[in-house]
Amino acid sequence: MSNRIARRSVLSGMAATGAVAAFGPAKSAGASSSTTATSAGELAQAIRSKRLSSREVVEAYLGRIERINPKLNAIVQLTADSARRQADEADAALARGESKGPLHGVPITIKDTLETEGVICTGGTLGRTHYVPKTDATSVARLRAAGAILLGKTNVPELAGALETDNLIYGRTNNPYDLTRTPGGSSGGEAAIVAAGGSPLGLGTDAGGSIRVPAHYCGLAALKPTSGRVPRTGQFPRPMGARNSVFHVSLIARKVDDLALALPIIAGSDFQDYTIIDMPLLDSRTVAVPKLRLAYFDNDGTLAPTPEIAAAVRAAADALANLGVRVEERRPPEADRAATIYYDMTRGDGGAGVRAFLKSVGTEQISPLFEQSLSSRSAPAMASTTDALAAFTRWDAYRNTMMGFMRGYDALLSPVLPYVAPHHGKSFDPTLQTGVGYAQMHNLTGWPTATVRIGTSPEGMPIGVQIAARPWREDIALALVRCLEEKFGGWTAPTI
């Protein structure tokens, strides 16, 4: 296999169908005991105990990538040679009684907006088609230092600026559960390859649902940590300016336990991202779940969810209530304003700053998808500087209102989005755009938010829910989605 996977033609796929939504474990199309269906934590243990070698694990994933990636176009830079070399080094180290850390010898993938030393990082924009970073992003370096082995980089929309994944360098990424549908964005490549068994653990980002939406579309577990928990150093574009705090480096995996395993590795100050605070990171296994108080809602007042998604939220609430959680159906008072507040903060200059930035990195041609994004989200420009500044005042007021709401609760359960993965090219349809506030509200607050798969839609697509917790309480969000994973089964392998 070459170390670079070029843009390829995409094989057509057929959507799975069903008569009704299903909650709980779906029938898996793959062997659940196979190496490429195994969690990162289980792989790490198997390598430590020498039941599997790192080289065997890496070869299994490279073989899986070779079979599925032509259909998905998820991995866009494949680091097969270096992965094999590092696997051999990991095995040799274990033979000497040495271990680098909790991910020793475990393969991972990285979103193409996080810089990787010696491996092209484009951010999906033509001006960086051949850009090779000299250093790793902080989060990438920390995973490598813990023993993880990079398999490759995964596809993104241009500048991570859309909820579907397509760009002029690598083309479109497909959903492994239905190749005619999107895996979401901007971490769509990560979601597609992890869900399809091509990687056990992925590192992505989330500024408006970019890890949680792909997790919902592809039936995965994901975590957007508290704003200020994980450094964004080495993220492209680097988060700067007034909207800085909506950007989060995030994790995606097939199992909730892998999120809990990786979070302590990537968290904490690097003394380069001034926003990061070294708050204590608590253990999700010690959370007293029956003592928690949970609010939930299935309709944010802007776009009603499909009946199946509403039912999934209620099934999740019932399951937690049965564990002793004090559950109350209650919607935050300004949930219906989230999308408007979010986009008003991007409309100050009508997108002129973004266009100027693209030219500064050498991009003269913008992808059609990103043009749609600029037209729908950044235009028209605010009438005056006063109006633009007022948008940020409304953001502060929103955050205060949401924090007041959480006084009586430990966590908040809701849909990730009110619909399942749409077909390619539909994410900017006006009706679908109305529903993005479900995800964006938790970028506005900065709260830690985790997702997990609950069931399957009549079209055969995954249905996920999200649980947000108070700031710095990733342990509570993870504990609750782990309970839901145990009840409903979580990730199920696609037929691909």
Side-chain angles (χ1 to χ4, degrees):
M1 280 172 118
S2 68
N3 280 348
R4 180 180 182 278
I5 297 181
R7 181 174 180 173
R8 304 182 181 186
S9 61
V10 178
L11 302 181
S12 61
M14 295 180 65
T17 59
V20 295
F23 302 118
K27 185 177 180 180
S28 173
S32 62
S33 61
S34 70
T35 300
T36 56
T38 301
S39 73
E42 292 166 337
L43 290 172
Q45 176 58 34
I47 292 168
R48 281 194 300 273
S49 65
K50 300 181 182 178
R51 287 185 287 111
L52 286 173
S53 68
S54 177
R55 180 61 181 260
E56 288 173 326
V57 173
V58 166
E59 290 293 354
Y61 277 94
L62 290 175
R64 180 68 175 164
I65 290 167
E66 185 173 31
R67 290 190 295 276
I68 62 175
N69 202 60
K71 299 179 182 180
L72 297 177
N73 190 35
I75 290 187
V76 292
Q77 294 288 332
L78 184 69
T79 54
D81 294 342
S82 63
R84 290 184 172 108
R85 182 177 66 253
Q86 290 171 44
D88 289 342
E89 292 169 356
D91 291 331
L94 279 180
R96 299 190 300 269
E98 302 170 3
S99 174
K100 293 182 72 174
L103 292 175
H104 186 96
V106 176
I108 62 170
T109 43
I110 304 292
K111 182 178 181 178
D112 194 34
T113 56
L114 292 164
E115 296 197 336
T116 40
E117 181 182 0
V119 182
I120 287 173
C121 177
T122 72
T125 193
L126 285 172
R128 283 172 58 107
T129 299
H130 304 293
Y131 179 77
V132 180
K134 294 181 180 179
T135 58
D136 283 332
T138 294
S139 51
V140 176
R142 288 174 173 176
L143 289 173
R144 293 208 215 225
I149 294 172
L150 178 64
L151 289 173
K153 302 295 290 292
T154 55
N155 207 20
V156 297
E158 187 163 10
L159 292 195
L163 291 181
E164 62 181 286
T165 296
D166 193 356
N167 61 62
L168 294 177
I169 302 173
Y170 300 122
R172 188 181 75 193
T173 298
N174 300 318
N175 191 307
Y177 296 88
D178 179 351
L179 301 179
T180 71
R181 296 175 186 260
T182 180
S186 59
S187 306
E190 274 304 317
I193 202 66
V194 172
S199 170
L201 177 67
L203 188 65
T205 60
D206 190 321
S210 288
I211 202 79
R212 290 163 292 136
V213 169
H216 163 56
Y217 286 176
C218 295
L220 295 170
L223 175 69
K224 176 186 75 65
T226 305
S227 178
R229 176 72 81 183
V230 180
R232 287 84 48 83
T233 308
Q235 181 177 340
F236 174 81
R238 183 165 184 171
M240 301 283 279
R243 294 176 65 245
N244 189 327
S245 66
V246 305
F247 294 87
H248 305 65
V249 171
S250 302
L251 295 160
I252 194 165
R254 293 189 291 268
K255 296 287 288 185
V256 171
D257 280 349
D258 288 343
L259 308 176
L261 171 67
L263 179 60
I265 297 170
I266 63 173
S269 176
D270 65 351
F271 296 94
Q272 297 181 75
D273 183 341
Y274 80 91
T275 69
I276 306 307
I277 300 171
D278 285 319
M279 289 289 288
L281 189 59
L282 303 177
D283 185 353
S284 61
R285 288 288 183 182
T286 66
V287 172
V289 170
K291 294 183 179 180
L292 297 178
R293 300 159 300 169
L294 176 82
Y296 79 93
F297 67 95
D298 60 21
N299 187 333
D300 72 352
T302 58
L303 181 64
T306 66
E308 297 80 25
I309 290 175
V313 172
R314 292 179 178 276
D318 287 345
L320 294 174
N322 288 337
L323 294 175
V325 178
R326 291 162 55 191
V327 174
E328 181 180 356
E329 184 174 7
R330 188 179 173 202
R331 186 173 75 196
E334 296 192 352
D336 60 339
R337 298 185 60 224
T340 299
I341 292 169
Y342 186 93
Y343 287 129
D344 278 353
M345 295 188 301
T346 71
R347 295 198 298 110
D349 64 0
V354 173
R355 294 182 187 278
F357 174 78
L358 285 168
K359 287 188 176 181
S360 76
V361 298
T363 296
E364 298 294 334
Q365 182 183 1
I366 301 174
S367 70
L369 182 66
F370 198 54
E371 283 284 4
Q372 279 186 287
S373 179
L374 289 173
S375 297
S376 65
R377 299 177 176 185
S378 299
M382 291 290 194
S384 68
T385 302
T386 300
D387 289 342
L389 292 174
F392 290 91
T393 301
R394 290 192 291 274
W395 181 19
D396 281 341
Y398 179 84
R399 287 187 279 193
N400 285 335
T401 298
M402 290 290 283
M403 186 57 72
F405 173 83
M406 287 297 280
R407 177 178 297 172
Y409 305 101
D410 298 293
L412 176 63
L413 164 70
S414 72
V416 180
L417 285 182
Y419 40 81
V420 297
H423 289 94
H424 293 297
K426 299 295 185 182
S427 64
F428 285 107
D429 285 5
T431 298
L432 298 189
Q433 280 291 289
T434 304
V436 296
Y438 288 88
Q440 290 169 340
M441 67 170 59
H442 299 313
N443 293 97
L444 293 175
T445 63
W447 296 345
T449 312
T451 69
V452 68
R453 181 175 180 166
I454 295 296
T456 306
S457 78
E459 305 94 339
M461 300 306 295
I463 294 174
V465 298
Q466 64 180 346
I467 294 182
R470 293 176 174 180
W472 313 111
R473 297 308 305 265
E474 289 89 353
D475 59 320
I476 288 177
L478 289 171
L480 290 172
V481 293
R482 182 186 290 114
C483 291
L484 296 178
E485 181 180 73
E486 291 171 356
K487 170 65 176 178
F488 297 101
W491 169 81
T492 300
T495 303
I496 184 173

